[in-house]
Amino acid sequence: MQLYLPIADLPVNVFLVLAMGAAVGFVSGMFGIGGGFLMTPLLIFIGITPAVAVASVASHIAASSFSGALAYWRRRAIDPALASVLLCGGVTGTALGVWTFTQLRALGQLDLMIALSYVVLLTTVGSLMFSEGLRALMRTRRGALAPRRTHNWIHGLPLKMRFKRSKIYLSVIPVVIVGIVIGFIGAIMGIGGGFILVPIMIYLLRVPTSTVIGTSMVLTLVTMLFATLLHAVTNHLVDAVLALILMVGGVTGAQFGARAGQKIRGEQLRLLLGLLILSVGVRFAIELVIRPEDLFTIRELGVNG
């Protein structure tokens, strides 16, 4: 069944988009990420311009994150204090990201910047996560102990705060900076940033894995809601029809994903997530190199013409 999208200015198959939303929502709930790194490229590949895809996916990410965060909240796997500090930076970063998004769009460089950002970020992060997950899995099979985590220079910074739920004593400076970076990237690329935030919190900030995913989802939920509002008001690129279909599928899929994620070991999750991120980055690079006109020229004419 075909449905016309007013802002994207093209018809789409409702069941295809609904299935995409459910699948990405499942991934979101399983890995504790927003899923935008997967949904935005998928929308671009079916013909939606990068600008509309980024702006519209933010609401889908927020819906999936709300569904997943609710499940983690019931299990008391969210650190409210840590989430609040992250949000101080996240909201600021989101506002800065939307402003940069608007400036790049005015200069006519937005689509190219989005494509290059996806290629560089996803291939880099995906490669690192895949290799780390593979090493962890091999250590587990050999019965070797994981390397002992020691405090680094970050833990010597001032303005420390005690996060009781996570049982850590940490400076708020790196937490706020991380929030700013995640908010900024999310507003420009249409991603929740969970696949970056989770490894940073685990390996740099030393946040226990028991509270990482749920806390990450709270940051994603608020920043993506804020990004959706700003994109709708400043750029008028949020396609409400597309966003609604994605949200219905995303909320449903996230609940099943959160349950499935509890049944898989941590190193297996990191390995699978790294492989998934790397695959999307490579696919985007191939599309950009082989058929750049499909990503930009034709779709720009479809929106502006």
Side-chain angles (χ1 to χ4, degrees):
M1 184 176 72
Q2 297 289 315
L3 182 66
Y4 179 76
L5 302 178
I7 303 299
D9 193 26
L10 83 167
V12 295
N13 187 302
V14 175
F15 298 110
L16 173 63
V17 177
L18 192 62
M20 288 167 54
V24 174
F26 182 86
V27 172
S28 173
M30 175 179 287
F31 296 114
I33 56 179
F37 77 93
L38 184 58
M39 179 55 74
T40 302
L42 286 176
L43 292 177
I44 293 174
F45 293 153
I46 67 172
I48 297 173
T49 57
V52 175
V54 167
S56 302
V57 162
S59 58
H60 166 264
I61 299 173
S64 297
S65 298
F66 173 77
S67 180
L70 188 61
Y72 283 99
W73 177 266
R74 290 169 179 167
R75 293 196 293 269
R76 296 179 60 82
I78 294 176
D79 189 324
L82 182 59
S84 298
V85 178
L86 281 169
L87 285 172
C88 291
V91 172
T92 303
T94 301
L96 182 60
V98 172
W99 179 83
T100 305
F101 181 100
T102 305
Q103 299 304 312
L104 289 172
R105 183 168 177 249
L107 294 173
Q109 300 298 318
L110 179 62
D111 289 358
L112 178 61
M113 182 59 66
I114 291 174
L116 292 177
S117 296
Y118 264 99
V119 172
V120 173
L121 185 63
L122 297 188
T123 53
T124 301
V125 175
S127 299
L128 292 174
M129 291 190 67
F130 179 77
S131 60
E132 191 281 329
L134 186 61
R135 288 195 300 269
L137 188 61
M138 292 177 65
R139 283 196 304 267
T140 301
R141 290 186 175 181
R142 293 197 306 263
L145 296 176
R148 183 180 179 184
R149 295 180 183 177
T150 57
H151 289 295
N152 50 42
W153 61 270
I154 291 179
H155 292 80
L157 294 175
L159 300 178
K160 289 188 176 181
M161 178 177 175
R162 192 171 300 279
F163 301 100
K164 295 182 180 179
R165 183 68 60 84
S166 297
K167 299 179 181 179
I168 56 175
Y169 187 53
L170 181 68
S171 169
V172 298
I173 296 175
V175 179
V176 171
I177 292 176
V178 168
I180 292 174
V181 172
I182 298 300
F184 181 82
I185 293 176
I188 291 182
M189 298 178 61
I191 59 178
F195 68 96
I196 304 174
L197 178 61
V198 170
I200 289 177
M201 292 175 69
I202 291 176
Y203 298 111
L204 290 182
L205 304 183
R206 301 293 189 245
V207 179
T209 54
S210 59
T211 58
V212 162
I213 295 180
T215 305
S216 168
M217 283 191 164
V218 173
L219 176 66
T220 300
L221 168 62
V222 177
T223 55
M224 289 297 97
L225 278 177
F226 190 44
T228 300
L229 178 63
L230 292 180
H231 278 307
V233 173
T234 59
N235 298 306
H236 309 290
L237 290 174
V238 178
D239 194 307
V241 177
L242 174 62
L244 181 60
I245 299 174
L246 292 176
M247 281 191 290
V248 171
V251 170
T252 304
Q255 289 294 324
F256 291 99
R259 296 174 186 173
Q262 299 298 312
K263 301 178 182 179
I264 303 177
R265 295 202 305 267
E267 62 272 12
Q268 293 176 328
L269 278 175
R270 295 197 297 273
L271 180 65
L272 291 173
L273 180 57
L275 182 60
L276 180 60
I277 294 172
L278 180 60
S279 301
V280 176
V282 171
R283 176 68 174 83
F284 218 108
I286 293 174
E287 190 83 6
L288 182 61
V289 172
I290 297 179
R291 298 187 299 172
E293 70 282 358
D294 287 348
L295 283 175
F296 307 118
T297 309
I298 295 177
R299 291 168 191 174
E300 276 298 316
L301 292 175
V303 170
N304 298 330

